[in-house]
Amino acid sequence: MIQKTLLATLVLAAITGCTVGPDYQGAPQVAEKTLAAGRLAHDQPARADAPPAAQWWHSLGDAQLDTLVNQALAHSPTLAEAEARLRQSRAGLASEQAAGRPKVSANATMLRMRSPDVSQFAGGEGGGGGRGPLSLYLADFDASWEVDLFGGTRRAIEAADASAAASAAQLADAQVQLAAEVVQAYVDLRDRQQRLALVDASSELEQQVLELTRQRRSRGVASELQLEQVITQADTTRSQRLPLQAQIVESLDQLALLCGQEPGELDAQLQASAALPSVPAQVPLADPAAMLKARPDIRAAERQLASANAQIGEKTADWFPKLSLLGDLGFSAADPGHLARKDNATWLLVPRLTWNALDFGRVKASVEGAEAGRDLALAQYRGTVLQALRDADSALVRYGHQRESVVLLRGIQASAERAAELTRQRYRAGTASTLDWLDAERTRFDAQQNRVAGDAQLLKDFAALHKSLGLGWDDAGSSRELQRL
């Protein structure tokens, strides 16, 4: 008997070690052809110890920006949604894990009754009042377990685990997107504030020249045409204030939204004009291709592919028999102190084998649906990788070219300012015409505006570069959810 039981146990263990469905072989390699073509090259020195999830915005050296990013990571509704989805997926994983374990329930019952008087039906005189009251105490324990013969439960756990990992990667991707968007919105704000300051400075200078021209007109030195030209120039410059002021309000509202604040809450904190942050002279990134492989959206797509692959095995297991073990242990007694007596116990053990031998194609359809889901996840993964490759390659190229452009724009501004100052001196001395001064002033103003815009674009390209490489998430717990879980 013992040998038969041992044999049956070994057979059962061998059977339950079987897992149907395709084993996950991993996702396709990333960036092989792109690297072979010499793309994703970076002109800055690589640093092997550069952390893949570095808080890169600290390199800009702007404490106000650091505070805003921290506020966004702590209070953004977008991150709160991603955190809630992560908790849901982890709860689903816990549920699937629990489904593979036995289920045990217990209940206790106490009955108290009085039997009716039935003596009159037996020819007696009745009136005996029946029997009782009677008491009966019951304790019952039920257990059930579905043996995972062909690995359907294990595949379900595998799918849920991969899905939870995908949700964690999506949370990290939300952090990446949010950090970059806060930096770009902050740069837009400071860019517009700087350009507004330039408009005001230019307007002040033009007002001085306008007064000088009016004086010269009153003395007959300047013509009416020259005066009108200067007035037109001054009014044109002042007209640029209103659009910039409106854009500044839009930037403040955008930052408030990203930080989970109401419109206007950040105005007092950010209303004062401040200079643009400074891009570091060097960007010490690790190997861009290696960093790209850790990009959160690629990791999320890869985990979704793994989950879809496991679901095929979960559905395939429905082709095969299912073995359930049911057990019951009960105790009953008229006195609660006698419940534990052996002669008051009853037990039941029921092995149950079920098999949907004829289901008219239901299982086949579900397996085919799971296979289609795997193919869909594979296509989405490939699309995500291709999009990421394009983003990273374009961001590296744009950033490199914009650095060169900024150098040229700063040189143009310096030359235009020197030319404008010389022309202004000649105009006051009467050796340069009004048109000469106006042309020089317009060139100077345009050069200043272009230089500020170029600096702002370089900063936004700097943010886009880190975003394209998937930087800005913190697996050590920078978000509320990662701190809790």
Side-chain angles (χ1 to χ4, degrees), residues 115-124 126 129-130:
S115 64
D117 182 7
V118 296
S119 60
Q120 56 181 332
F121 298 107

Side-chain angles (χ1 to χ4, degrees), residues 14 87 98 160 166 173 189 205 235 333 354 359 399 445 468-469 475-476 481:
R87 292 198 302 273
D173 186 54
L189 172 65
L205 177 61
D235 290 343
T354 59
D359 67 350
Y399 179 71
F445 180 73
S468 69
L469 295 176
D475 60 352
E481 181 59 29

Side-chain angles (χ1 to χ4, degrees), residues 16 19 52 115 118 130 135 183 212 236 241 244 280 299 315 328 367 376 382 406 409 422 428 446 471 473 475-476:
T16 54
T19 304
S115 64
V118 296
S135 297
V183 172
L212 177 61
T236 300
R241 292 192 88 258
L244 285 171
R299 290 189 289 111
K315 301 300 182 182
D328 180 83
V367 171
L376 173 62
R382 288 174 173 166
V406 164
L409 289 173
L422 291 173
R428 288 173 177 171
D446 289 343
L471 299 179
W473 60 276
D475 60 352

Side-chain angles (χ1 to χ4, degrees), residues 39-186:
R39 295 298 185 91
L40 299 184
H42 189 48
D43 61 353
Q44 299 298 321
R47 220 179 68 194
D49 61 340
Q55 295 178 338
W56 53 267
W57 51 89
H58 290 318
S59 63
L60 298 176
D62 192 312
Q64 184 69 72
L65 175 59
D66 295 343
T67 299
L68 288 172
V69 175
N70 290 336
Q71 284 180 314
L73 292 174
H75 304 294
S76 168
T78 302
L79 282 191
E81 292 177 13
E83 291 163 4
R85 285 192 291 268
L86 176 56
R87 292 198 302 273
Q88 282 183 330
S89 63
R90 288 184 172 174
L93 172 59
S95 177
E96 292 293 348
Q97 290 171 334
R101 304 185 182 108
K103 300 176 184 178
V104 179
S105 61
N107 60 78
T109 307
M110 191 274 284
L111 300 177
R112 189 171 177 82
M113 61 176 291
R114 181 180 183 278
S115 64
D117 182 7
V118 296
S119 60
Q120 56 181 332
F121 298 107
E125 296 182 359
R131 181 184 176 190
L134 300 176
S135 297
L136 181 63
Y137 297 88
L138 304 171
D140 189 67
F141 301 91
D142 295 319
S144 63
W145 179 37
E146 181 176 315
V147 182
D148 192 18
L149 291 175
F150 297 96
T153 301
R154 291 192 293 277
R155 289 300 193 193
I157 293 173
E158 180 184 341
D161 183 59
S163 180
S167 295
Q170 288 168 348
L171 172 58
D173 186 54
Q175 290 178 314
V176 170
Q177 304 292 326
L178 181 64
E181 288 175 7
V182 170
V183 172
Q184 291 173 332
Y186 180 79

Side-chain angles (χ1 to χ4, degrees), residues 336-359:
H338 299 164
L339 277 175
R341 290 183 177 179
K342 184 177 180 180
D343 54 352
N344 290 334
T346 60
W347 60 270
L348 177 68
L349 179 62
V350 180
R352 181 185 178 191
L353 189 67
T354 59
W355 188 13
N356 293 327
L358 184 63
D359 67 350

